[in-house]
Amino acid sequence: MSDSRIRSYAPGRVNLIGEHTDYNLGFALPIALDLGTTADFEPDPGTGTVVAESDGEPEVVTIGPDTAPGDVSGWGAYIAGCIWALRTAGHEVPGGRLRIGSTVPVGAGLSSSAALECAVLLAMTAHLELSRHELARLAQRAENDYAGAPTGLLDQLSSLFGQQDTALLIDFRSLEVEPVPLPVDESAQLLVIDSHAPHRHAAGEYAARRASCEAAAAELGVASLREADDDAWRRLPEGHNRARARHILTENARVLAATEALAAADFATAGELMNASHDSMRDDFEITTPHIDLIAAIAQQLGSHGARMTGGGFGGSVIALAPAPAAERICADLPKAITDAGHPAPTVRRVRPGRGAHLL
Ligand code: GLA
């Protein structure tokens, strides 16, 4: 083993509130998870080629120095995308061997791809002085322009700026990240309920929502929905774009209100805002499914402060904020209620805000 070996870690994320607000330059309140991805990079100055393998994947991926979008698909695309983003931004990256291990479940809407990108970028740029914001932008470029997913910066900023027992209020216009203490205790526990629903059509629907928001902003004569006043959606004609804009504008207000409520340990108010966020994603943004609605409704009925779908939509996970007894009930009773309704058994995980990406 050479001593130039570099190990890094980057977590997945779960968003407490503020969905699809990132590319609208609004607000979100995510946490980094205590689940993450490690990258073990052994640079080889003799080659420009990266040979990558992952504990969770059968195939070894070879990425040439001139890799370009379209060359590599599947999980390797996120790594190739990082190498491509670094090189096209003018950074020198050596080849070598890369080994990936992860505890972030794939397909659960917990940003396993951002965790992979951030771990790889951190390990490969240990010799460069790049800021966390630069790393986030490079990861986003890998995701948007190499892997082909038109996502915002929520996942990467959460992974890179995470702090233990702390939520992150992100302003996507200034890219400021403000820590909001969130100790997990008897009165407030966090559960992530993975539906195991396949994200069918999710990519096309995500792009369609983004296009609707851009169209709504253009109709209102503003550069982004962040520049519109809270009631601006009322000036749009009835239809999809108006409903999409109403979700974004009301969601930004809910993020700020939930941040204040959490900071005051007012979990009842924070929970009500989470429930309202779910309703807005269901009725105005139309990104939930009956299966996900049922999981959120049952988590709410079992006594959580609040529960909502988290992430891009059309599957993935529900996040619940619950006092300890309700958290117990959700773990014990929710899976059966969901299988009784004919859906696959969900996985319920207790999580807490974890540390952000770092070198090991
Ligand atoms: C996905 C994207 C993020 C964000 C969320 C929705 O996770 O990767 O950029 O848009 O959906 O809030």
Side-chain angles (χ1 to χ4, degrees), residues 278-325:
H278 186 90
D279 294 350
S280 177
M281 291 191 288
R282 182 192 58 211
D283 301 336
D284 279 350
F285 221 60
E286 296 183 275
I287 53 171
T288 70
T289 63
H291 174 192
I292 292 287
D293 293 340
L294 183 67
I295 295 178
I298 291 176
Q300 291 168 10
Q301 283 155 23
L302 289 171
S304 57
H305 298 300
R308 59 182 286 284
M309 187 189 74
T310 183
F314 305 98
S317 293
V318 165
I319 171 90
L321 175 71

Side-chain angles (χ1 to χ4, degrees), residues 230 233 245-255 276 280 284:
D230 286 0
W233 57 270
R246 181 164 67 178
H247 165 73
I248 298 301
L249 295 173
T250 56
E251 186 79 345
N252 280 334
R254 279 187 293 269
V255 172
S280 177
D284 279 350

Side-chain angles (χ1 to χ4, degrees), residues 37 50 78 80 111-112 114 116 132 150 154 162 170 198 211 235 238 276 285-286 304 316 318 342:
T37 298
V50 171
Y78 298 103
S111 292
S112 58
L116 175 57
R132 296 265 152 164
L154 170 72
I170 306 180
R235 298 200 292 278
E238 285 292 337
F285 221 60
E286 296 183 275
S304 57
V318 165

